[in-house]
């Protein structure tokens, strides 16, 4: 009778031990599923963040392109105005010189003065056109450099995001593999016992 009671007690203990192991495996599986779900959410969040960042960077490049286009249009318009001003001044000077030529006998010195003034005016406008062309060229080069720099930076950020995402996927896969090995080892040890 005592031996039967002892055997029943051992059987109860063994069953409780097996039940505890099954509960532990179940809990570990639940934790693993929750971890995998959290990793999937983290990857989805990181992907959304990366896409939003890429869209922002793309908009920045578009804005810079628009600014360059606007500055180019402004510079071209300004150059056209200056060119028209030169043409107008040349025409005016030629007309004035023609008028002065008709009265050269009485206006000898005036013709010389007007010619000098017209030449000085033409030189001044030509210098202004050269300066504006130089300024516009410099502005266009600066905007082009800014776009190139922004494009390089954006590419670097996108590359880093891709690298980080790849590293996270690799880490998650390794964690899942380690978890799977751990569960297999626990199950194997349990059934050996």
């Amino acid at each position: 009778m005592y031996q039967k009671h002892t055997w029943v007690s051992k059987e109860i203990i063994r069953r409780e031990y097996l039940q505890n192991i099954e509960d532990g495996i179940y809990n570990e599986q639940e934790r693993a599923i929750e971890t995998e779900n959290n990793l999937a959410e983290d990857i989805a969040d990181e992907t959304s963040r990366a896409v939003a960042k890429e869209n922002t960077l793309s908009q920045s490049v578009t804005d810079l392109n628009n600014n360059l286009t606007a500055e180019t249009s402004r510079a071209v318009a300004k150059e056209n105005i200056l060119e028209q001003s030169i043409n107008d001044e040349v025409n005016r000077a030629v007309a004035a010189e023609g008028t002065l030529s008709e009265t050269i006998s009485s206006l000898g010195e005036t013709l010389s003065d007007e010619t000098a003034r017209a030449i000085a005016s033409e030189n001044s406008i030509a210098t202004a056109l050269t300066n504006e062309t130089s300024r516009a060229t410099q502005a266009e080069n600066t905007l082009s450099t800014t776009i190139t720099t922004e494009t390089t930076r954006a590419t670097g950020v996108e590359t880093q995001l891709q690298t980080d995402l790849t590293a996270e996927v690799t880490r998650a896969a390794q964690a899942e593999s380690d978890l799977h090995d751990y569960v297999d080892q626990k199950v194997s040890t349990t059934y050996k016992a």
Side-chain angles (χ1 to χ4, degrees):
M1 182 69 169
Y2 175 75
Q3 289 179 347
K4 183 175 181 182
H5 178 71
T6 300
W7 179 82
V8 169
S9 296
K10 286 182 179 180
E11 181 63 19
I12 290 171
I13 291 170
R14 188 183 70 79
R15 287 185 181 180
E16 287 178 353
Y17 176 74
L18 290 176
Q19 184 63 46
N20 288 338
I21 289 173
E22 287 178 5
D23 290 345
I25 290 172
Y26 176 77
N27 291 336
E28 184 62 23
Q29 288 174 339
E30 288 291 312
R31 191 195 66 73
I33 289 170
E34 183 178 355
T35 299
E36 290 172 1
N37 290 339
N38 289 339
L39 287 172
E41 288 177 5
D42 290 344
I43 290 171
D45 290 344
E46 178 61 19
T47 300
S48 296
R49 191 194 67 74
V51 168
K53 185 67 174 177
E54 289 168 4
N55 290 339
T56 300
L57 292 172
S58 176
Q59 185 59 46
S60 295
V61 171
T62 299
D63 292 343
L64 287 172
N65 280 331
N66 291 340
N67 290 339
L68 178 58
T69 300
E71 176 59 20
T72 301
S73 297
R74 190 203 64 75
V76 168
K78 186 70 172 178
E79 290 165 6
N80 290 338
I81 290 170
L82 288 171
E83 184 177 1
Q84 185 60 49
S85 296
I86 289 174
N87 290 335
D88 292 344
E89 177 59 20
V90 169
N91 292 335
R92 189 206 63 75
V94 168
E97 289 164 6
T99 301
L100 289 173
S101 294
E102 293 175 0
T103 58
I104 193 166
S105 59
S106 61
L107 300 172
E109 289 186 8
T110 303
L111 175 59
S112 177
D113 291 342
E114 176 59 19
T115 300
R117 188 205 64 75
I119 290 171
S121 179
E122 291 165 5
N123 289 339
S124 177
I125 292 175
T127 299
L129 177 59
T130 300
N131 291 341
E132 175 59 19
T133 301
S134 176
R135 188 205 62 74
T137 301
Q138 183 177 0
E140 291 164 7
N141 289 340
T142 298
L143 286 172
S144 178
T145 300
T146 301
I147 288 173
T148 300
T149 301
E150 177 59 19
T151 300
T152 301
R153 189 193 68 73
T155 301
V157 170
E158 291 168 6
T159 300
Q160 185 60 48
L161 287 173
Q162 184 60 49
T163 300
D164 292 347
L165 181 58
T166 301
E168 177 58 20
V169 171
T170 301
R171 188 199 64 72
Q174 184 61 47
E176 292 170 8
S177 176
D178 292 345
L179 179 61
H180 185 270
D181 292 345
Y182 175 78
V183 171
D184 285 350
Q185 183 180 6
K186 282 290 188 182
V187 171
S188 175
T189 303
T190 300
Y191 284 111
K192 281 182 181 178

